[in-house]
Amino acid sequence: MVEIKQISVKKKAYVVNDELAENIRNKMKTKNKRFFNVMGSIGSGKTLILERIAERLSPYYKVFVINGDVATTIDADRIAKCGATTVQINTGGGCHLTASLMQKEFDKINIDDYDIFFTENVGNLICPAAWDVGAAKNIVVVSITEGEYVIKKHPIIFKGAQIAVINKCDIEGEDFDSKTLVEDASKIKSDMEVICTSAKTKQGIDDLITALGIDIPKRE
Amino acid sequence: MHEYSLASAIVTQIEEIVEKYNVIRVKKIIVSASPYEMIIPDLLQEAYKIITHEMEKFKDSELLMEIKAAEITCIDCDYTGKPTEEGDPEFAYNFLCPKCGSRDTHINMKQMTIETVDLELSEE
Ligand SMILES: Nc1nc2c(ncn2[C@@H]2O[C@H](COP(=O)(O)OP(=O)(O)O)[C@@H](O)[C@H]2O)c(=O)[nH]1
Ligand SMILES: [Mg+2]
Ligand SMILES: [Zn+2]
C-alpha cells in the first residue's frame, strides 16, 4: 500500500544561505574582523579599486581577498601584487557568490591571521543582490561609462547596499557624467553613502576606506 | 541564473524532510514567491529538472511556483506588509508605504517559501 501525504513545509528557500551568512557576520564581529562584499558590473573597476585599497591598507593591515569569477585567476593575481593575500573562486556558470562559497574559503585559512576581508563578487547587477555572503557592508561599484541610468535600471542591488561607489570619475566630461548616478544613488536609499572615485588616479580611494570605517594615516 | 541556486536550496531542504519519512517518492513541491523576486518560473523548473535528474526519489516529481503578494518594509515608519499598488514613476521596485506615504521602502526580494511537499509514503 502506498499513501500520499502532503507536508506543510513553510520554510524560506533562502534560509540555508541566510543562516550561514549571519553566522559568518557574527563570527567576524566577535573576532573584531571586517568583511566587505564588492559588487558591480563587469568592467566597473571592482578589481582596480581593490588593488588600490590593498596597496593602501597593506602597510598597516593584513588583507585577504576572495575573488569570484566565472573563469581565470586574473583578478586574484592582480590584487595579490598589491600586498593582499588572495584566492580565486571560479563559479563555472554561477552568476553570484554564496555564503557557503565564502565559508569554504574561510575554512582553509586561519581567520586570526588577517584583519580585513573583501570579496569581489561576480560581475553582475542582478543575482548577487539576493545572496547574502555575510559581509558587514555591501558596496556596489558603478562606473560613469555604464550610462547614466544604470542605477534606475538595477534598483534592487543598490537597495541592499550601504555604499555606492561612482568610479572612473577621471574621464568625466562631455560624454560621461556622474551627476545623475550620484543623485540616483542618494535618492534610492536615504542612508546610502555615495563616493566618487577614480581607481586610476586614486581620487576618492581614501574616502572609500574611511566609509568602510577603517583607520589609516593620512597620505603624505 | 540564480534560479539554479534556488532550485538546489529547495532540493536540499526537501531532502532533509525525505530522510525523516519512509518516502518512496517525492511527487510535488509547491513554492511561493512575490512577482518582484526576479524569478523566472520556467528557468526554476528547468534547473530543478537538471538537479534532480538522477535522484531516484525525485523521479517524475514536479516543482510548482505560486505568486503571492509582495511585502515591503518602510524605513520611515517600520511598516511591514503589502505595498500600495502604485509604483514609483522614477524608480522601479520603489513602492509607496500605505501607512505613512513614504517612498523610502525596501521590498523583500527573498520571500520565496517552500509551502508544501507531497510525498508518496510506504506504509510499513
Ligand atoms: N579611466 C579609468 N579606468 C578604470 C578605472 N577603474 C578601472 N578602470 C579600467 O577599467 C577596466 C576594468 O577594470 P576592472 O578593475 O578589471 O573591472 P572589474 O571587472 O569590475 O573588476 C580596466 O581596464 C581598468 O584599468 C578608473 O577609475 N578610471
Ligand atoms: Mg574584476
Ligand atoms: Zn511608512
Side-chain angles (χ1 to χ4, degrees):
Chain A
M1 273 295 284
V2 290
E3 175 203 0
I4 304 286
K5 189 181 167 81
Q6 183 168 77
I7 291 168
S8 169
V9 184
K10 294 276 176 212
K11 276 182 91 180
K12 288 270 156 71
Y14 287 96
V15 74
V16 181
N17 185 72
D18 286 354
E19 279 174 8
L20 187 54
E22 205 47 46
N23 216 332
I24 292 172
R25 206 168 3 258
N26 290 336
K27 223 180 279 171
M28 288 291 187
K29 206 174 165 196
T30 320
K31 288 180 173 276
N32 206 13
K33 310 288 178 190
R34 321 276 181 86
F35 175 33
F36 304 105
N37 176 23
V38 180
M39 302 179 286
S41 297
I42 298 170
S44 58
K46 299 180 294 302
T47 307
L48 197 55
I49 287 173
L50 283 168
E51 288 179 76
R52 294 302 186 217
I53 291 177
E55 68 193 18
R56 190 74 176 105
L57 295 185
S58 55
Y60 318 104
Y61 297 99
K62 292 224 166 68
V63 181
F64 187 82
V65 182
I66 302 173
N67 276 89
D69 266 308
V70 170
T72 80
T73 62
I74 294 170
D75 284 2
D77 297 343
R78 276 170 59 186
I79 300 168
K81 291 204 181 89
C82 300
T85 304
T86 65
V87 60
Q88 180 85 46
I89 301 177
N90 285 142
T91 59
C95 49
H96 57 90
L97 297 174
T98 61
S100 74
L101 287 171
M102 297 297 106
Q103 189 60 55
K104 268 183 212 154
E105 296 309 319
F106 292 144
D107 286 344
K108 291 179 198 161
I109 58 170
N110 185 355
I111 298 282
D112 298 325
D113 290 345
Y114 304 93
D115 308 304
I116 302 171
F117 299 79
F118 290 92
T119 186
E120 179 183 339
N121 219 307
V122 183
N124 182 338
L125 285 175
I126 302 162
C127 311
W131 297 87
D132 190 351
V133 295
K137 280 186 179 171
N138 291 320
I139 301 134
V140 187
V141 178
V142 281
S143 61
I144 62 175
T145 56
E146 288 168 61
E148 55 198 288
Y149 300 114
V150 65
I151 297 179
K152 282 200 176 79
K153 288 178 185 168
H154 301 91
I156 300 305
I157 197 152
F158 291 92
K159 285 249 177 191
Q162 288 73 41
I163 301 174
V165 175
I166 317 296
N167 190 37
K168 305 198 186 178
C169 286
D170 56 291
I171 51 174
E172 171 118 42
E174 205 187 320
D175 294 330
F176 305 113
D177 184 15
S178 65
K179 194 168 151 273
T180 311
L181 291 175
V182 172
E183 278 175 12
D184 284 356
S186 340
K187 265 198 267 175
I188 205 158
K189 229 181 130 219
S190 56
D191 55 352
M192 182 82 91
E193 288 214 54
V194 186
I195 294 161
C196 293
T197 60
S198 162
K200 189 178 173 185
T201 67
K202 305 184 191 176
Q203 174 210 331
I205 297 295
D206 281 12
D207 297 334
L208 175 55
I209 290 171
T210 306
L212 296 175
I214 302 168
D215 295 325
I216 39 160
K218 284 216 157 31
R219 284 187 203 263
E220 303 284 288
Chain B
M1 257 300 272
H2 55 296
E3 284 84 358
Y4 193 89
S5 307
L6 274 174
S8 72
I10 293 165
V11 171
T12 305
Q13 292 192 56
I14 297 298
E15 276 185 295
E16 281 172 21
I17 296 169
V18 164
E19 275 173 26
K20 288 190 206 138
Y21 295 87
N22 205 352
V23 174
I24 301 169
R25 192 152 288 176
V26 176
K27 300 289 279 184
K28 185 166 76 180
I29 302 167
I30 297 179
V31 299
S32 64
S34 98
Y36 305 108
E37 292 188 57
M38 298 188 293
I39 299 164
I40 302 167
D42 284 355
L43 280 182
L44 185 72
Q45 276 172 351
E46 216 30 60
Y48 178 77
K49 273 188 208 147
I50 293 167
I51 292 164
T52 56
H53 174 61
E54 288 188 329
M55 296 169 73
E56 198 51 42
K57 290 189 175 165
F58 286 76
K59 208 169 168 233
D60 298 327
S61 63
E62 48 176 351
L63 174 66
L64 302 178
M65 186 172 123
E66 292 172 347
I67 300 295
K68 66 177 163 196
E71 183 189 283
I72 59 159
T73 33
C74 176
I75 292 160
D76 286 335
C77 77
D78 282 339
Y79 165 86
T80 302
K82 275 192 208 168
T84 304
E85 285 302 317
E86 177 206 354
D88 188 335
E90 198 178 8
F91 292 103
Y93 292 85
N94 224 13
F95 290 93
L96 198 65
C97 170
K99 199 169 143 201
C100 77
S102 171
R103 282 247 180 247
D104 212 353
T105 58
H106 202 303
I107 182 154
N108 184 348
M109 293 292 294
K110 307 203 301 191
Q111 282 177 244
M112 186 188 249
T113 306
I114 307 171
E115 297 290 344
T116 58
V117 57
D118 289 5
L119 301 173
E120 190 178 306
L121 300 179
S122 152
E123 277 192 336
E124 315 114 46

